[in-house]
Amino acid sequence: MSLLEKISDQAATLTPSERRLVENVIESPTSAALGTAGELAKAVGVHEATASRLAKKLGFDSYAAFRDALRDEFIATRETATRFEKTIAESSGDTILGKLAHDEAQALARIEEFIKPEQITEIAGLLIQANRIFIYGYGNAEVLALMMVKRFRRFGKEVQQLDTNPRGLAEQMLGLEAGDVVLSFAFRRPPRGYAALIETAKEAGARTIIITGKSGALLAPRPDHILAAPRSGDPDAFQTLTVPMTVCNALVIAAGHTAKDESLKKLDRLGQLIERFE
């Protein structure tokens, strides 16, 4: 089980101080992996004992063992990202556009520290094989939900964009069943109706997937699959959708590759239909 999965398993039991520690670890895993319990605790303004208690809650004998797990999971993949960040930093300008491009590039360079290629392959296969796909995006995530609806419809999948109105959402969930997949987005906090959505899907036997930022491991109840990678920019200020959109595009491409022949047939038929209707 990965470290993020262990955190997710304990999300509902974490104290506010422990949640602050977890958020810091997810945002800066390399710093946490190279530092001491005292340094981590000081960075977020909590007592050192809180860091040791968190490590034990996650199943580690000591903070040192927790730090070793961080090193194993994140440090090995860091070298390439560090080189890329240095190159971008040296070439970026001082304009708003240059700064934004720099921040986005840094965030994108770190994606595979948090999301492994095999996760993309597994979840893409789950989506392409689903009986039906239900996609929920609230607020800014609505644009991502719409994009995924359109992409998977082009593969011939039955896809529904879920209503953000509670009554409409309840009506759409009425027919949910085993073999279906629910894909949702959760960034700064769980979207309205998140807990009810996950609980309903579990009751029906449908699989659940969440694309999220650094807070993904703290989601409760836990979905079946989490794709969590920090977005660029100040966590307390403006953040873009570049990272989650890249994750979405990777899933689309991997899904098409998983069912290559059938996907190409559907896309070819779509082209014929577009010519007919236009």
Side-chain angles (χ1 to χ4, degrees):
M1 181 182 291
S2 72
L3 182 57
L4 290 180
E5 289 174 328
K6 290 182 179 180
I7 293 172
S8 182
D9 278 346
Q10 296 297 322
T13 71
L14 298 179
T15 67
S17 294
E18 289 168 347
R19 292 176 73 90
R20 285 161 60 190
L21 282 172
V22 166
E23 289 174 353
N24 182 277
V25 168
I26 295 173
E27 177 66 24
S28 304
T30 303
S31 297
L34 296 176
T36 65
E39 289 169 341
L40 175 62
K42 184 177 180 180
V44 296
V46 301
H47 195 277
E48 181 176 343
T50 305
S52 298
R53 187 171 62 246
L54 172 64
K56 291 183 179 179
K57 184 175 285 189
L58 296 178
F60 298 97
D61 293 334
S62 63
Y63 184 81
F66 169 65
R67 187 174 57 197
D68 287 343
L70 273 171
R71 288 172 177 167
D72 290 343
E73 196 156 328
F74 294 105
I75 298 297
T77 62
R78 186 63 187 155
E79 183 181 355
T80 300
T82 302
R83 291 199 304 268
F84 186 63
E85 286 175 9
K86 183 175 185 298
T87 301
I88 295 297
E90 291 174 347
S91 61
S92 64
D94 294 326
T95 63
I96 292 175
L97 179 60
K99 177 64 167 60
L100 180 61
H102 176 213
D103 290 345
E104 297 297 313
Q106 285 185 311
L108 289 169
R110 300 178 63 194
I111 282 184
E112 286 195 342
E113 291 182 40
F114 302 93
I115 299 175
K116 307 304 180 187
E118 54 268 26
Q119 287 180 274
I120 294 293
T121 301
E122 179 185 4
I123 294 174
L126 187 64
L127 288 165
I128 204 68
Q129 293 165 16
N131 292 337
R132 295 176 299 172
I133 304 172
F134 295 83
I135 303 180
Y136 186 58
Y138 187 80
N140 289 342
E142 286 188 61
V143 66
L144 296 176
L146 178 60
M147 181 188 80
M148 292 297 273
V149 167
K150 288 180 173 291
R151 294 292 191 187
F152 277 91
R153 279 182 181 163
R154 291 175 183 175
F155 290 148
K157 300 299 297 182
E158 183 178 342
V159 190
Q160 292 186 35
Q161 183 167 2
L162 293 173
D163 201 323
T164 56
N165 176 276
R167 183 175 293 274
L169 180 57
E171 291 173 352
Q172 288 176 297
M173 289 290 94
L174 187 60
L176 192 68
E177 57 189 28
D180 295 336
V181 171
V182 175
L183 169 64
S184 182
F185 300 87
F187 297 126
R188 292 185 185 277
R189 61 188 64 85
R192 182 174 65 181
Y194 168 80
L197 184 65
I198 300 300
E199 289 168 357
T200 302
K202 288 183 181 297
E203 289 172 358
R207 306 295 288 174
T208 52
I209 303 164
I210 301 296
I211 296 176
T212 181
K214 68 175 185 177
S215 62
L218 298 174
L219 290 170
R222 178 184 170 181
D224 295 311
H225 300 275
I226 299 176
L227 294 174
R231 295 188 288 164
S232 64
D234 185 342
D236 297 320
F238 182 79
Q239 291 192 314
T240 74
L241 296 176
T242 300
V243 168
M245 183 171 286
T246 299
V247 173
C248 287
N249 284 325
L251 287 174
V252 170
I253 294 169
H257 188 268
T258 298
K260 185 176 180 181
D261 292 341
E262 186 62 25
S263 297
L264 290 175
K265 288 179 182 178
K266 293 293 185 182
L267 291 173
D268 184 57
R269 177 58 176 162
L270 174 62
Q272 294 172 5
L273 291 173
I274 289 173
E275 289 181 4
R276 176 181 294 175
F277 282 98
E278 288 185 342

CSV table of all heavy atoms in Angstrom, one decimal, residues 56-105:
chain,number,residue,atom,x,y,z
A,56,LYS,N,2.9,7.0,13.7
A,56,LYS,CA,2.4,5.7,14.3
A,56,LYS,C,1.0,5.4,13.8
A,56,LYS,O,0.6,4.3,13.6
A,56,LYS,CB,2.5,5.8,15.8
A,56,LYS,CG,3.9,5.8,16.3
A,56,LYS,CD,4.0,5.8,17.8
A,56,LYS,CE,5.5,5.7,18.2
A,56,LYS,NZ,5.7,5.8,19.7
A,57,LYS,N,0.2,6.5,13.7
A,57,LYS,CA,-1.2,6.3,13.2
A,57,LYS,C,-1.3,5.7,11.8
A,57,LYS,O,-2.2,5.0,11.5
A,57,LYS,CB,-2.0,7.7,13.3
A,57,LYS,CG,-3.4,7.5,12.9
A,57,LYS,CD,-4.2,8.9,13.1
A,57,LYS,CE,-4.4,9.1,14.6
A,57,LYS,NZ,-5.3,10.3,14.8
A,58,LEU,N,-0.2,6.1,11.0
A,58,LEU,CA,-0.2,5.6,9.6
A,58,LEU,C,0.4,4.2,9.5
A,58,LEU,O,0.6,3.7,8.4
A,58,LEU,CB,0.6,6.6,8.8
A,58,LEU,CG,0.0,8.0,8.6
A,58,LEU,CD1,0.9,8.9,7.8
A,58,LEU,CD2,-1.4,7.9,8.0
A,59,GLY,N,0.8,3.6,10.7
A,59,GLY,CA,1.3,2.2,10.7
A,59,GLY,C,2.8,2.1,10.8
A,59,GLY,O,3.3,1.0,10.6
A,60,PHE,N,3.5,3.2,11.1
A,60,PHE,CA,5.0,3.1,11.2
A,60,PHE,C,5.4,3.0,12.6
A,60,PHE,O,4.8,3.6,13.5
A,60,PHE,CB,5.6,4.3,10.5
A,60,PHE,CG,5.3,4.4,9.0
A,60,PHE,CD1,4.3,5.2,8.6
A,60,PHE,CD2,6.0,3.7,8.1
A,60,PHE,CE1,4.0,5.3,7.2
A,60,PHE,CE2,5.7,3.8,6.7
A,60,PHE,CZ,4.7,4.6,6.3
A,61,ASP,N,6.5,2.3,12.9
A,61,ASP,CA,7.0,2.2,14.3
A,61,ASP,C,7.5,3.5,14.8
A,61,ASP,O,7.5,3.7,16.0
A,61,ASP,CB,8.1,1.1,14.3
A,61,ASP,CG,7.6,-0.3,14.0
A,61,ASP,OD1,6.4,-0.5,14.2
A,61,ASP,OD2,8.3,-1.1,13.5
A,62,SER,N,8.0,4.3,13.9
A,62,SER,CA,8.6,5.6,14.4
A,62,SER,C,8.6,6.6,13.2
A,62,SER,O,8.2,6.3,12.1
A,62,SER,CB,10.1,5.4,14.7
A,62,SER,OG,10.8,4.9,13.6
A,63,TYR,N,8.9,7.8,13.6
A,63,TYR,CA,8.9,8.9,12.5
A,63,TYR,C,10.0,8.5,11.5
A,63,TYR,O,9.9,8.8,10.3
A,63,TYR,CB,9.2,10.3,13.1
A,63,TYR,CG,9.1,11.3,12.0
A,63,TYR,CD1,7.9,11.8,11.6
A,63,TYR,CD2,10.3,11.8,11.4
A,63,TYR,CE1,7.9,12.8,10.6
A,63,TYR,CE2,10.3,12.8,10.4
A,63,TYR,CZ,9.0,13.2,10.0
A,63,TYR,OH,9.0,14.2,9.0
A,64,ALA,N,11.1,7.9,12.0
A,64,ALA,CA,12.2,7.6,11.1
A,64,ALA,C,11.7,6.6,10.0
A,64,ALA,O,12.1,6.7,8.8
A,64,ALA,CB,13.4,7.0,11.8
A,65,ALA,N,10.9,5.6,10.4
A,65,ALA,CA,10.3,4.7,9.4
A,65,ALA,C,9.4,5.4,8.4
A,65,ALA,O,9.4,5.1,7.2
A,65,ALA,CB,9.6,3.6,10.2
A,66,PHE,N,8.6,6.3,8.9
A,66,PHE,CA,7.8,7.1,8.1
A,66,PHE,C,8.6,7.9,7.1
A,66,PHE,O,8.3,8.0,5.9
A,66,PHE,CB,6.9,8.1,9.0
A,66,PHE,CG,6.2,9.1,8.2
A,66,PHE,CD1,5.1,8.8,7.3
A,66,PHE,CD2,6.5,10.5,8.4
A,66,PHE,CE1,4.4,9.8,6.7
A,66,PHE,CE2,5.8,11.4,7.7
A,66,PHE,CZ,4.7,11.1,6.9
A,67,ARG,N,9.7,8.5,7.5
A,67,ARG,CA,10.6,9.3,6.6
A,67,ARG,C,11.2,8.4,5.6
A,67,ARG,O,11.3,8.8,4.4
A,67,ARG,CB,11.6,10.0,7.5
A,67,ARG,CG,12.5,10.9,6.7
A,67,ARG,CD,13.4,11.7,7.7
A,67,ARG,NE,14.2,10.7,8.4
A,67,ARG,CZ,14.9,11.1,9.5
A,67,ARG,NH1,14.8,12.3,10.0
A,67,ARG,NH2,15.6,10.2,10.2
A,68,ASP,N,11.6,7.2,6.0
A,68,ASP,CA,12.1,6.2,5.0
A,68,ASP,C,11.1,5.9,3.9
A,68,ASP,O,11.5,5.8,2.7
A,68,ASP,CB,12.5,4.9,5.7
A,68,ASP,CG,13.8,5.1,6.6
A,68,ASP,OD1,14.5,6.1,6.4
A,68,ASP,OD2,14.0,4.2,7.4
A,69,ALA,N,9.8,5.8,4.3
A,69,ALA,CA,8.8,5.5,3.3
A,69,ALA,C,8.6,6.7,2.3
A,69,ALA,O,8.5,6.5,1.1
A,69,ALA,CB,7.5,5.2,4.0
A,70,LEU,N,8.7,7.9,2.9
A,70,LEU,CA,8.7,9.1,2.0
A,70,LEU,C,9.8,9.1,1.0
A,70,LEU,O,9.7,9.4,-0.1
A,70,LEU,CB,8.8,10.3,2.9
A,70,LEU,CG,7.5,10.9,3.5
A,70,LEU,CD1,7.8,12.0,4.5
A,70,LEU,CD2,6.6,11.4,2.4
A,71,ARG,N,11.0,8.7,1.5
A,71,ARG,CA,12.2,8.7,0.6
A,71,ARG,C,12.0,7.7,-0.5
A,71,ARG,O,12.3,7.9,-1.6
A,71,ARG,CB,13.4,8.4,1.4
A,71,ARG,CG,13.9,9.5,2.3
A,71,ARG,CD,15.0,9.1,3.2
A,71,ARG,NE,15.5,10.2,4.1
A,71,ARG,CZ,16.4,10.0,5.1
A,71,ARG,NH1,16.7,8.8,5.5
A,71,ARG,NH2,16.8,11.1,5.8
A,72,ASP,N,11.6,6.5,-0.1
A,72,ASP,CA,11.4,5.4,-1.1
A,72,ASP,C,10.3,5.8,-2.2
A,72,ASP,O,10.5,5.5,-3.3
A,72,ASP,CB,10.9,4.1,-0.4
A,72,ASP,CG,12.0,3.5,0.4
A,72,ASP,OD1,13.2,3.9,0.2
A,72,ASP,OD2,11.7,2.7,1.3
A,73,GLU,N,9.3,6.5,-1.7
A,73,GLU,CA,8.2,6.8,-2.6
A,73,GLU,C,8.4,8.0,-3.5
A,73,GLU,O,7.9,8.1,-4.6
A,73,GLU,CB,6.9,7.0,-1.8
A,73,GLU,CG,5.6,6.9,-2.7
A,73,GLU,CD,4.4,6.5,-1.9
A,73,GLU,OE1,4.6,5.8,-0.9
A,73,GLU,OE2,3.3,7.0,-2.2
A,74,PHE,N,9.2,9.0,-3.0
A,74,PHE,CA,9.3,10.3,-3.7
A,74,PHE,C,10.7,10.7,-4.2
A,74,PHE,O,10.9,11.2,-5.3
A,74,PHE,CB,8.8,11.4,-2.9
A,74,PHE,CG,7.3,11.3,-2.6
A,74,PHE,CD1,6.8,10.9,-1.4
A,74,PHE,CD2,6.4,11.6,-3.6
A,74,PHE,CE1,5.4,10.8,-1.1
A,74,PHE,CE2,5.0,11.5,-3.4
A,74,PHE,CZ,4.5,11.1,-2.2
A,75,ILE,N,11.7,10.4,-3.4
A,75,ILE,CA,13.1,10.9,-3.7
A,75,ILE,C,13.6,10.2,-5.0
A,75,ILE,O,14.2,10.9,-5.8
A,75,ILE,CB,14.1,10.6,-2.6
A,75,ILE,CG1,13.7,11.3,-1.3
A,75,ILE,CG2,15.5,11.0,-3.0
A,75,ILE,CD1,13.6,12.8,-1.5
A,76,ALA,N,13.3,9.0,-5.3
A,76,ALA,CA,13.9,8.3,-6.4
A,76,ALA,C,13.4,8.9,-7.8
A,76,ALA,O,14.1,8.8,-8.7
A,76,ALA,CB,13.4,6.8,-6.4
A,77,THR,N,12.3,9.6,-7.8
A,77,THR,CA,11.8,10.1,-9.0
A,77,THR,C,12.0,11.6,-9.1
A,77,THR,O,11.6,12.3,-10.0
A,77,THR,CB,10.3,9.9,-9.1
A,77,THR,OG1,9.6,10.6,-8.0
A,77,THR,CG2,9.9,8.4,-9.1
A,78,ARG,N,12.8,12.2,-8.2
A,78,ARG,CA,12.9,13.6,-8.1
A,78,ARG,C,14.0,14.2,-9.0
A,78,ARG,O,13.9,15.4,-9.5
A,78,ARG,CB,13.2,14.0,-6.7
A,78,ARG,CG,13.2,15.5,-6.4
A,78,ARG,CD,11.9,16.1,-6.6
A,78,ARG,NE,11.9,17.5,-6.5
A,78,ARG,CZ,11.1,18.4,-7.0
A,78,ARG,NH1,10.1,18.0,-7.8
A,78,ARG,NH2,11.2,19.7,-6.9
A,79,GLU,N,15.0,13.5,-9.4
A,79,GLU,CA,16.1,14.0,-10.1
A,79,GLU,C,15.8,14.7,-11.4
A,79,GLU,O,16.1,15.8,-11.7
A,79,GLU,CB,17.2,13.0,-10.3
A,79,GLU,CG,18.5,13.5,-11.0
A,79,GLU,CD,19.5,12.4,-11.2
A,79,GLU,OE1,19.3,11.3,-10.8
A,79,GLU,OE2,20.5,12.8,-11.9
A,80,THR,N,15.0,14.0,-12.2
A,80,THR,CA,14.6,14.5,-13.5
A,80,THR,C,13.8,15.8,-13.4
A,80,THR,O,14.0,16.7,-14.1
A,80,THR,CB,13.8,13.4,-14.3
A,80,THR,OG1,14.6,12.3,-14.5
A,80,THR,CG2,13.3,14.0,-15.7
A,81,ALA,N,12.8,15.8,-12.4
A,81,ALA,CA,12.0,16.9,-12.2
A,81,ALA,C,12.9,18.1,-11.7
A,81,ALA,O,12.6,19.3,-12.2
A,81,ALA,CB,11.0,16.6,-11.1
A,82,THR,N,13.9,17.9,-10.9
A,82,THR,CA,14.7,19.0,-10.4
A,82,THR,C,15.5,19.6,-11.6
A,82,THR,O,15.6,20.8,-11.7
A,82,THR,CB,15.7,18.4,-9.4
A,82,THR,OG1,15.0,17.9,-8.3
A,82,THR,CG2,16.6,19.6,-8.9
A,83,ARG,N,16.0,18.8,-12.5
A,83,ARG,CA,16.7,19.3,-13.7
A,83,ARG,C,15.8,20.1,-14.5
A,83,ARG,O,16.1,21.2,-15.0
A,83,ARG,CB,17.3,18.1,-14.5
A,83,ARG,CG,18.5,17.4,-13.8
A,83,ARG,CD,19.3,16.6,-14.8
A,83,ARG,NE,18.5,15.7,-15.6
A,83,ARG,CZ,18.3,14.4,-15.2
A,83,ARG,NH1,18.8,14.0,-14.1
A,83,ARG,NH2,17.5,13.6,-16.0
A,84,PHE,N,14.6,19.6,-14.7
A,84,PHE,CA,13.6,20.3,-15.6
A,84,PHE,C,13.2,21.7,-15.0
A,84,PHE,O,13.2,22.7,-15.7
A,84,PHE,CB,12.4,19.4,-15.7
A,84,PHE,CG,11.4,20.0,-16.7
A,84,PHE,CD1,11.7,20.1,-18.0
A,84,PHE,CD2,10.1,20.3,-16.3
A,84,PHE,CE1,10.8,20.6,-18.9
A,84,PHE,CE2,9.2,20.8,-17.1
A,84,PHE,CZ,9.5,21.0,-18.5
A,85,GLU,N,13.0,21.7,-13.6
A,85,GLU,CA,12.7,22.9,-13.0
A,85,GLU,C,13.8,24.0,-13.1
A,85,GLU,O,13.5,25.1,-13.4
A,85,GLU,CB,12.4,22.7,-11.5
A,85,GLU,CG,11.1,22.0,-11.2
A,85,GLU,CD,11.0,21.6,-9.7
A,85,GLU,OE1,11.8,22.1,-8.9
A,85,GLU,OE2,10.1,20.9,-9.4
A,86,LYS,N,15.0,23.5,-13.0
A,86,LYS,CA,16.2,24.4,-13.2
A,86,LYS,C,16.2,25.0,-14.6
A,86,LYS,O,16.4,26.3,-14.7
A,86,LYS,CB,17.5,23.7,-12.9
A,86,LYS,CG,18.7,24.6,-12.9
A,86,LYS,CD,20.0,23.8,-12.5
A,86,LYS,CE,21.2,24.7,-12.4
A,86,LYS,NZ,21.5,25.3,-13.7
A,87,THR,N,16.0,24.2,-15.6
A,87,THR,CA,16.0,24.7,-16.9
A,87,THR,C,14.9,25.7,-17.2
A,87,THR,O,15.2,26.8,-17.7
A,87,THR,CB,15.8,23.5,-17.9
A,87,THR,OG1,16.8,22.6,-17.7
A,87,THR,CG2,15.8,24.0,-19.4
A,88,ILE,N,13.7,25.5,-16.7
A,88,ILE,CA,12.6,26.4,-16.9
A,88,ILE,C,12.8,27.7,-16.1
A,88,ILE,O,12.6,28.8,-16.6
A,88,ILE,CB,11.3,25.7,-16.4
A,88,ILE,CG1,11.0,24.5,-17.3
A,88,ILE,CG2,10.1,26.7,-16.4
A,88,ILE,CD1,10.7,24.9,-18.7
A,89,ALA,N,13.4,27.5,-14.9
A,89,ALA,CA,13.6,28.7,-14.0
A,89,ALA,C,14.6,29.7,-14.7
A,89,ALA,O,14.4,30.9,-14.6
A,89,ALA,CB,14.1,28.3,-12.6
A,90,GLU,N,15.6,29.1,-15.3
A,90,GLU,CA,16.6,30.0,-15.9
A,90,GLU,C,16.1,30.7,-17.2
A,90,GLU,O,16.6,31.7,-17.6
A,90,GLU,CB,17.8,29.1,-16.3
A,90,GLU,CG,18.6,28.7,-15.0
A,90,GLU,CD,19.7,27.7,-15.4
A,90,GLU,OE1,19.8,27.2,-16.5
A,90,GLU,OE2,20.5,27.4,-14.5
A,91,SER,N,15.1,30.1,-17.8
A,91,SER,CA,14.6,30.7,-19.1
A,91,SER,C,13.3,31.5,-19.0
A,91,SER,O,12.9,32.1,-19.9
A,91,SER,CB,14.4,29.6,-20.1
A,91,SER,OG,13.4,28.7,-19.6
A,92,SER,N,12.7,31.5,-17.8
A,92,SER,CA,11.4,32.2,-17.7
A,92,SER,C,11.6,33.7,-17.5
A,92,SER,O,12.6,34.2,-17.0
A,92,SER,CB,10.6,31.6,-16.4
A,92,SER,OG,11.3,31.9,-15.3
A,93,GLY,N,10.6,34.4,-17.9
A,93,GLY,CA,10.6,35.9,-17.8
A,93,GLY,C,9.9,36.4,-16.5
A,93,GLY,O,9.5,35.6,-15.7
A,94,ASP,N,9.9,37.7,-16.3
A,94,ASP,CA,9.3,38.3,-15.2
A,94,ASP,C,7.9,38.7,-15.4
A,94,ASP,O,7.3,39.3,-14.5
A,94,ASP,CB,10.2,39.5,-14.7
A,94,ASP,CG,11.6,39.1,-14.2
A,94,ASP,OD1,11.7,38.0,-13.7
A,94,ASP,OD2,12.5,39.9,-14.5
A,95,THR,N,7.4,38.5,-16.6
A,95,THR,CA,6.0,38.9,-16.8
A,95,THR,C,5.0,37.9,-16.2
A,95,THR,O,5.4,36.8,-15.7
A,95,THR,CB,5.7,38.8,-18.4
A,95,THR,OG1,5.9,37.5,-18.8
A,95,THR,CG2,6.7,39.7,-19.1
A,96,ILE,N,3.8,38.3,-16.1
A,96,ILE,CA,2.7,37.4,-15.6
A,96,ILE,C,2.7,36.1,-16.4
A,96,ILE,O,2.6,35.0,-15.8
A,96,ILE,CB,1.4,38.1,-15.6
A,96,ILE,CG1,1.4,39.3,-14.6
A,96,ILE,CG2,0.2,37.1,-15.2
A,96,ILE,CD1,0.1,40.1,-14.6
A,97,LEU,N,2.8,36.2,-17.7
A,97,LEU,CA,2.7,35.0,-18.5
A,97,LEU,C,3.9,34.1,-18.3
A,97,LEU,O,3.8,32.9,-18.1
A,97,LEU,CB,2.7,35.5,-20.0
A,97,LEU,CG,2.6,34.3,-21.0
A,97,LEU,CD1,1.4,33.4,-20.8
A,97,LEU,CD2,2.7,34.9,-22.4
A,98,GLY,N,5.1,34.7,-18.2
A,98,GLY,CA,6.3,33.9,-17.9
A,98,GLY,C,6.2,33.3,-16.5
A,98,GLY,O,6.6,32.1,-16.4
A,99,LYS,N,5.8,34.0,-15.5
A,99,LYS,CA,5.7,33.4,-14.2
A,99,LYS,C,4.7,32.3,-14.1
A,99,LYS,O,4.9,31.2,-13.5
A,99,LYS,CB,5.3,34.5,-13.2
A,99,LYS,CG,5.1,34.0,-11.7
A,99,LYS,CD,6.4,33.5,-11.2
A,99,LYS,CE,6.3,33.3,-9.6
A,99,LYS,NZ,5.2,32.4,-9.2
A,100,LEU,N,3.5,32.5,-14.8
A,100,LEU,CA,2.5,31.4,-14.8
A,100,LEU,C,3.1,30.2,-15.6
A,100,LEU,O,2.9,29.1,-15.1
A,100,LEU,CB,1.3,32.0,-15.5
A,100,LEU,CG,0.1,31.0,-15.7
A,100,LEU,CD1,-0.4,30.5,-14.3
A,100,LEU,CD2,-1.0,31.6,-16.5
A,101,ALA,N,3.7,30.4,-16.7
A,101,ALA,CA,4.3,29.3,-17.5
A,101,ALA,C,5.3,28.5,-16.6
A,101,ALA,O,5.4,27.3,-16.6
A,101,ALA,CB,4.9,29.8,-18.7
A,102,HIS,N,6.1,29.3,-15.9
A,102,HIS,CA,7.1,28.7,-15.0
A,102,HIS,C,6.4,27.8,-13.9
A,102,HIS,O,6.8,26.6,-13.7
A,102,HIS,CB,7.9,29.8,-14.3
A,102,HIS,CG,8.9,29.3,-13.3
A,102,HIS,ND1,9.3,30.0,-12.2
A,102,HIS,CD2,9.6,28.1,-13.3
A,102,HIS,CE1,10.2,29.3,-11.5
A,102,HIS,NE2,10.4,28.2,-12.1
A,103,ASP,N,5.4,28.3,-13.2
A,103,ASP,CA,4.7,27.6,-12.2
A,103,ASP,C,4.0,26.4,-12.7
A,103,ASP,O,4.1,25.3,-12.1
A,103,ASP,CB,3.7,28.5,-11.5
A,103,ASP,CG,4.4,29.6,-10.7
A,103,ASP,OD1,5.6,29.5,-10.4
A,103,ASP,OD2,3.6,30.6,-10.3
A,104,GLU,N,3.4,26.5,-13.9
A,104,GLU,CA,2.7,25.4,-14.5
A,104,GLU,C,3.7,24.3,-14.8
A,104,GLU,O,3.5,23.1,-14.6
A,104,GLU,CB,1.9,25.8,-15.7
A,104,GLU,CG,0.8,26.8,-15.5
A,104,GLU,CD,-0.3,26.2,-14.6
A,104,GLU,OE1,-0.7,25.1,-14.8
A,104,GLU,OE2,-0.6,26.9,-13.7
A,105,ALA,N,4.8,24.7,-15.4
A,105,ALA,CA,5.9,23.7,-15.8
A,105,ALA,C,6.4,22.9,-14.6
A,105,ALA,O,6.6,21.7,-14.6
A,105,ALA,CB,7.0,24.4,-16.5
